Amino acid sequence: MPDVIAVSNANTRQGGSRRVWTGFFVLLILFLMLGWVVFSGLASLYWADSDYSHGFLIVPAALYLIYLRRNLFDMSSVPVPVGGFALVALGTGIAVFAECYDAVFLPMTPLYLTIGGLGLIVCLEGIVLAVWGRRNGRAALFPVMFLVFALPLPGALSAALT
């Protein structure tokens, strides 16, 4: 009589989850390295200019929005590596364009910070898509896009609006 061997999915599920979180943190560290100059430029702008001092509150507000939408997230969602990495590549291209703009034109202008910040926001949404899938990317879309309110307006647009 053949022996019956019971196989549990608990270990593979935990290993898969560990692999997802490892991939997320690797991409997040690369994201932070890519955006370090933009983040420091934004922080100095928030600190120096009272028109943009609200920028310090945008990231905690976006994290709170993710917390409010926590029931929409499904960790069993299938990752979309092709679409996610395409967004990461697009966002990286935008951030590299911002770096080239900064090198050629005036350094640390609000337009440079706006373009670089937009690239990083696109990268962040791509990371969510690549690691956690389409359903979670849709659930995180509004909180991630809310980060646009932390970016400074270009000088001409700001002058025209005020």
Side-chain angles (χ1 to χ4, degrees):
M1 177 175 271
D3 292 333
V4 176
I5 300 174
V7 178
S8 173
N9 288 338
N11 290 337
T12 58
R13 188 173 190 91
Q14 182 183 14
S17 176
R18 186 175 302 157
R19 192 175 17 211
V20 166
W21 282 103
T22 303
F24 172 73
F25 283 118
V26 166
L27 286 173
L28 186 65
I29 288 170
L30 291 174
F31 169 78
L32 292 174
M33 288 172 46
L34 173 70
W36 180 254
V37 175
V38 174
F39 295 142
S40 63
L42 285 172
S44 64
L45 179 70
Y46 298 158
W47 193 260
D49 192 355
S50 63
D51 289 339
Y52 298 110
S53 61
H54 70 280
F56 287 120
L57 299 175
I58 298 296
V59 173
L63 291 173
Y64 181 69
L65 288 172
I66 287 176
Y67 172 75
L68 289 178
R69 301 175 132 236
R70 68 188 180 278
N71 58 349
L72 298 176
F73 290 96
D74 178 21
M75 288 305 162
S76 64
S77 180
V78 178
V80 186
V82 174
F85 287 126
L87 274 180
V88 169
L90 176 67
T92 303
I94 294 170
V96 168
F97 172 76
E99 291 294 329
C100 293
Y101 176 86
D102 183 50
V104 173
F105 298 106
L106 298 173
M108 284 297 163
T109 60
L111 183 60
Y112 156 72
L113 295 173
T114 303
I115 294 171
L118 284 174
L120 293 175
I121 290 171
V122 171
C123 275
L124 189 60
E125 183 63 26
I127 290 171
V128 171
L129 272 176
V131 174
W132 284 304
R134 189 178 316 253
R135 181 172 178 181
N136 295 329
R138 208 174 308 127
L141 184 63
F142 178 73
V144 169
M145 291 301 147
F146 186 75
L147 294 172
V148 168
F149 293 114
L151 301 178
L153 294 173
L157 182 60
S158 178
L161 288 175
T162 56

